[in-house]
CSV table of all heavy atoms in Angstrom, one decimal:
chain,number,residue,atom,x,y,z
E,450,PHE,N,75.5,123.8,99.4
E,450,PHE,CA,75.7,123.9,100.8
E,450,PHE,C,77.2,124.1,101.1
E,450,PHE,O,77.6,125.0,101.9
E,450,PHE,CB,75.2,122.6,101.5
E,450,PHE,CG,75.6,122.6,103.0
E,450,PHE,CD1,75.0,123.4,103.9
E,450,PHE,CD2,76.6,121.6,103.4
E,450,PHE,CE1,75.3,123.3,105.2
E,450,PHE,CE2,76.9,121.6,104.8
E,450,PHE,CZ,76.2,122.4,105.7
E,451,ALA,N,78.1,123.4,100.5
E,451,ALA,CA,79.5,123.5,100.7
E,451,ALA,C,80.0,124.9,100.3
E,451,ALA,O,80.8,125.5,101.0
E,451,ALA,CB,80.3,122.4,99.9
E,452,LYS,N,79.5,125.4,99.2
E,452,LYS,CA,79.9,126.7,98.7
E,452,LYS,C,79.4,127.8,99.7
E,452,LYS,O,80.2,128.7,100.0
E,452,LYS,CB,79.4,127.0,97.3
E,452,LYS,CG,80.0,126.1,96.3
E,452,LYS,CD,79.3,126.3,94.9
E,452,LYS,CE,79.8,125.4,93.9
E,452,LYS,NZ,79.1,125.4,92.6
E,453,GLU,N,78.2,127.6,100.2
E,453,GLU,CA,77.7,128.6,101.2
E,453,GLU,C,78.5,128.6,102.5
E,453,GLU,O,78.8,129.6,103.1
E,453,GLU,CB,76.2,128.3,101.5
E,453,GLU,CG,75.6,129.3,102.4
E,453,GLU,CD,75.7,128.9,103.9
E,453,GLU,OE1,75.9,127.7,104.2
E,453,GLU,OE2,75.6,129.8,104.8
E,454,ARG,N,78.9,127.4,103.0
E,454,ARG,CA,79.6,127.3,104.2
E,454,ARG,C,81.0,128.0,104.1
E,454,ARG,O,81.4,128.6,105.1
E,454,ARG,CB,79.8,125.8,104.6
E,454,ARG,CG,78.5,125.1,105.0
E,454,ARG,CD,77.9,125.7,106.2
E,454,ARG,NE,78.6,125.4,107.4
E,454,ARG,CZ,78.4,126.0,108.6
E,454,ARG,NH1,77.5,127.0,108.7
E,454,ARG,NH2,79.1,125.7,109.7
E,455,TRP,N,81.6,127.9,103.0
E,455,TRP,CA,82.9,128.5,102.7
E,455,TRP,C,82.7,130.0,102.6
E,455,TRP,O,83.4,130.8,103.3
E,455,TRP,CB,83.6,128.0,101.5
E,455,TRP,CG,84.9,128.6,101.2
E,455,TRP,CD1,85.2,129.5,100.2
E,455,TRP,CD2,86.2,128.4,101.9
E,455,TRP,NE1,86.6,129.8,100.2
E,455,TRP,CE2,87.2,129.2,101.3
E,455,TRP,CE3,86.5,127.6,103.0
E,455,TRP,CZ2,88.5,129.2,101.7
E,455,TRP,CZ3,87.9,127.6,103.4
E,455,TRP,CH2,88.8,128.4,102.8
E,456,ARG,N,81.7,130.4,101.9
E,456,ARG,CA,81.5,131.9,101.6
E,456,ARG,C,81.0,132.6,102.9
E,456,ARG,O,81.5,133.7,103.2
E,456,ARG,CB,80.4,132.0,100.5
E,456,ARG,CG,80.1,133.4,100.1
E,456,ARG,CD,79.0,133.5,99.0
E,456,ARG,NE,77.8,132.9,99.4
E,456,ARG,CZ,77.3,131.7,98.9
E,456,ARG,NH1,78.0,131.1,98.1
E,456,ARG,NH2,76.1,131.3,99.3
E,457,GLU,N,80.2,132.0,103.7
E,457,GLU,CA,79.6,132.6,104.8
E,457,GLU,C,80.4,132.4,106.1
E,457,GLU,O,80.4,133.2,107.0
E,457,GLU,CB,78.2,132.2,105.1
E,457,GLU,CG,77.3,132.4,103.9
E,457,GLU,CD,77.1,133.9,103.6
E,457,GLU,OE1,77.2,134.7,104.5
E,457,GLU,OE2,76.8,134.2,102.4
E,458,GLY,N,81.1,131.3,106.2
E,458,GLY,CA,81.8,131.0,107.5
E,458,GLY,C,83.2,130.5,107.4
E,458,GLY,O,83.8,130.2,108.4
E,459,ARG,N,83.8,130.5,106.1
E,459,ARG,CA,85.1,130.0,105.9
E,459,ARG,C,85.3,128.6,106.4
E,459,ARG,O,86.4,128.1,106.7
E,459,ARG,CB,86.1,130.9,106.6
E,459,ARG,CG,86.1,132.4,106.1
E,459,ARG,CD,87.2,133.2,106.8
E,459,ARG,NE,87.0,133.4,108.2
E,459,ARG,CZ,87.7,132.7,109.2
E,459,ARG,NH1,88.7,131.9,108.8
E,459,ARG,NH2,87.5,133.0,110.4
E,460,TRP,N,84.3,127.8,106.4
E,460,TRP,CA,84.4,126.4,106.8
E,460,TRP,C,84.5,125.5,105.5
E,460,TRP,O,83.8,125.5,104.6
E,460,TRP,CB,83.1,125.9,107.5
E,460,TRP,CG,83.0,126.5,108.9
E,460,TRP,CD1,82.0,127.4,109.3
E,460,TRP,CD2,83.8,126.2,110.0
E,460,TRP,NE1,82.2,127.7,110.6
E,460,TRP,CE2,83.3,127.0,111.1
E,460,TRP,CE3,84.9,125.3,110.2
E,460,TRP,CZ2,83.8,126.9,112.3
E,460,TRP,CZ3,85.4,125.3,111.5
E,460,TRP,CH2,84.9,126.1,112.6
E,461,PRO,N,85.6,124.7,105.4
E,461,PRO,CA,85.8,123.9,104.3
E,461,PRO,C,84.9,122.6,104.3
E,461,PRO,O,85.0,121.9,105.3
E,461,PRO,CB,87.3,123.5,104.3
E,461,PRO,CG,87.6,123.6,105.8
E,461,PRO,CD,86.7,124.6,106.4
E,462,VAL,N,84.1,122.4,103.3
E,462,VAL,CA,83.2,121.2,103.2
E,462,VAL,C,83.5,120.7,101.9
E,462,VAL,O,83.0,121.2,100.8
E,462,VAL,CB,81.7,121.6,103.4
E,462,VAL,CG1,80.9,120.3,103.3
E,462,VAL,CG2,81.4,122.3,104.7
E,463,LEU,N,84.4,119.7,101.8
E,463,LEU,CA,85.0,119.2,100.5
E,463,LEU,C,84.4,117.9,100.1
E,463,LEU,O,83.8,117.1,101.0
E,463,LEU,CB,86.5,119.1,100.6
E,463,LEU,CG,87.2,120.4,101.1
E,463,LEU,CD1,88.7,120.2,101.1
E,463,LEU,CD2,86.8,121.6,100.3
E,464,ASP,N,84.5,117.6,98.8
E,464,ASP,CA,84.0,116.3,98.3
E,464,ASP,C,84.8,115.2,98.8
E,464,ASP,O,86.0,115.0,98.6
E,464,ASP,CB,84.2,116.4,96.8
E,464,ASP,CG,83.5,115.3,96.1
E,464,ASP,OD1,83.1,114.3,96.7
E,464,ASP,OD2,83.4,115.3,94.8
E,465,GLY,N,84.1,114.3,99.6
E,465,GLY,CA,84.7,113.2,100.2
E,465,GLY,C,84.9,112.0,99.3
E,465,GLY,O,85.4,110.9,99.8
E,466,SER,N,84.4,112.1,98.1
E,466,SER,CA,84.5,110.9,97.2
E,466,SER,C,85.8,110.9,96.3
E,466,SER,O,86.1,109.9,95.6
E,466,SER,CB,83.3,110.9,96.2
E,466,SER,OG,83.4,112.0,95.3
E,467,ARG,N,86.6,112.0,96.5
E,467,ARG,CA,87.8,112.1,95.6
E,467,ARG,C,89.1,112.2,96.5
E,467,ARG,O,89.2,113.0,97.3
E,467,ARG,CB,87.7,113.2,94.7
E,467,ARG,CG,86.6,113.1,93.7
E,467,ARG,CD,86.1,114.5,93.2
E,467,ARG,NE,87.2,115.4,92.8
E,467,ARG,CZ,87.1,116.7,92.6
E,467,ARG,NH1,85.9,117.3,92.7
E,467,ARG,NH2,88.2,117.4,92.2
E,468,ALA,N,90.1,111.4,96.1
E,468,ALA,CA,91.4,111.5,96.9
E,468,ALA,C,92.0,112.9,96.6
E,468,ALA,O,92.8,113.4,97.5
E,468,ALA,CB,92.3,110.4,96.4
E,469,ASP,N,91.8,113.5,95.5
E,469,ASP,CA,92.5,114.8,95.2
E,469,ASP,C,91.9,115.9,95.9
E,469,ASP,O,92.3,117.1,95.8
E,469,ASP,CB,92.5,115.1,93.7
E,469,ASP,CG,91.2,115.2,93.0
E,469,ASP,OD1,90.1,115.0,93.7
E,469,ASP,OD2,91.1,115.5,91.8
E,470,CYS,N,90.8,115.6,96.7
E,470,CYS,CA,90.2,116.7,97.5
E,470,CYS,C,90.7,116.7,99.0
E,470,CYS,O,90.3,117.5,99.8
E,470,CYS,CB,88.7,116.6,97.5
E,470,CYS,SG,87.9,117.0,95.9
E,471,ASP,N,91.6,115.8,99.3
E,471,ASP,CA,92.2,115.7,100.6
E,471,ASP,C,93.0,116.9,100.8
E,471,ASP,O,93.5,117.6,99.8
E,471,ASP,CB,93.0,114.4,100.8
E,471,ASP,CG,93.2,114.1,102.2
E,471,ASP,OD1,92.7,114.8,103.1
E,471,ASP,OD2,93.9,113.1,102.5
E,472,TRP,N,93.3,117.3,102.1
E,472,TRP,CA,94.1,118.4,102.4
E,472,TRP,C,95.6,118.1,102.0
E,472,TRP,O,96.1,117.1,102.5
E,472,TRP,CB,94.1,118.8,103.8
E,472,TRP,CG,92.7,119.1,104.4
E,472,TRP,CD1,91.6,119.4,103.6
E,472,TRP,CD2,92.3,119.1,105.7
E,472,TRP,NE1,90.5,119.6,104.5
E,472,TRP,CE2,90.9,119.4,105.8
E,472,TRP,CE3,92.9,118.8,106.9
E,472,TRP,CZ2,90.1,119.5,106.9
E,472,TRP,CZ3,92.2,118.8,108.1
E,472,TRP,CH2,90.8,119.2,108.1
E,473,PRO,N,96.3,118.9,101.2
E,473,PRO,CA,97.6,118.6,100.8
E,473,PRO,C,98.6,118.8,101.9
E,473,PRO,O,98.3,119.5,102.9
E,473,PRO,CB,97.9,119.5,99.6
E,473,PRO,CG,96.9,120.6,99.8
E,473,PRO,CD,95.7,120.1,100.5
E,474,THR,N,99.8,118.3,101.8
E,474,THR,CA,100.9,118.4,102.7
E,474,THR,C,102.0,119.2,102.2
E,474,THR,O,102.4,119.0,101.1
E,474,THR,CB,101.4,117.0,103.2
E,474,THR,OG1,100.3,116.3,103.7
E,474,THR,CG2,102.5,117.2,104.2
E,475,ASP,N,102.5,120.2,102.9
E,475,ASP,CA,103.6,121.1,102.5
E,475,ASP,C,104.9,120.4,102.9
E,475,ASP,O,104.9,119.6,103.8
E,475,ASP,CB,103.5,122.5,103.1
E,475,ASP,CG,102.3,123.3,102.5
E,475,ASP,OD1,102.0,123.1,101.4
E,475,ASP,OD2,101.8,124.1,103.3
E,476,PRO,N,106.0,120.8,102.3
E,476,PRO,CA,107.3,120.3,102.7
E,476,PRO,C,107.6,120.5,104.2
E,476,PRO,O,108.3,119.7,104.8
E,476,PRO,CB,108.3,121.0,101.8
E,476,PRO,CG,107.5,121.4,100.6
E,476,PRO,CD,106.2,121.7,101.1
E,477,ASP,N,107.1,121.6,104.8
E,477,ASP,CA,107.4,121.8,106.2
E,477,ASP,C,106.2,121.6,107.1
E,477,ASP,O,106.2,122.1,108.2
E,477,ASP,CB,108.0,123.3,106.4
E,477,ASP,CG,107.0,124.3,105.9
E,477,ASP,OD1,106.1,124.0,105.1
E,477,ASP,OD2,107.1,125.5,106.4
E,478,SER,N,105.2,120.9,106.6
E,478,SER,CA,104.1,120.5,107.4
E,478,SER,C,104.6,119.5,108.5
E,478,SER,O,105.4,118.6,108.1
E,478,SER,CB,103.0,119.8,106.6
E,478,SER,OG,102.5,120.7,105.7
E,479,SER,N,104.2,119.6,109.8
E,479,SER,CA,104.7,118.7,110.7
E,479,SER,C,103.8,117.4,110.8
E,479,SER,O,104.1,116.5,111.5
E,479,SER,CB,104.7,119.3,112.1
E,479,SER,OG,103.4,119.6,112.6
Side-chain angles (χ1 to χ4, degrees):
F450 172 71
K452 293 174 183 176
E453 182 273 333
R454 292 298 287 167
W455 180 255
R456 181 177 62 252
E457 302 297 331
R459 300 184 294 104
W460 291 109
V462 181
L463 306 183
D464 185 350
S466 69
R467 296 158 46 195
D469 61 356
C470 289
D471 201 0
W472 304 341
T474 301
D475 291 328
D477 60 339
S478 301
S479 72

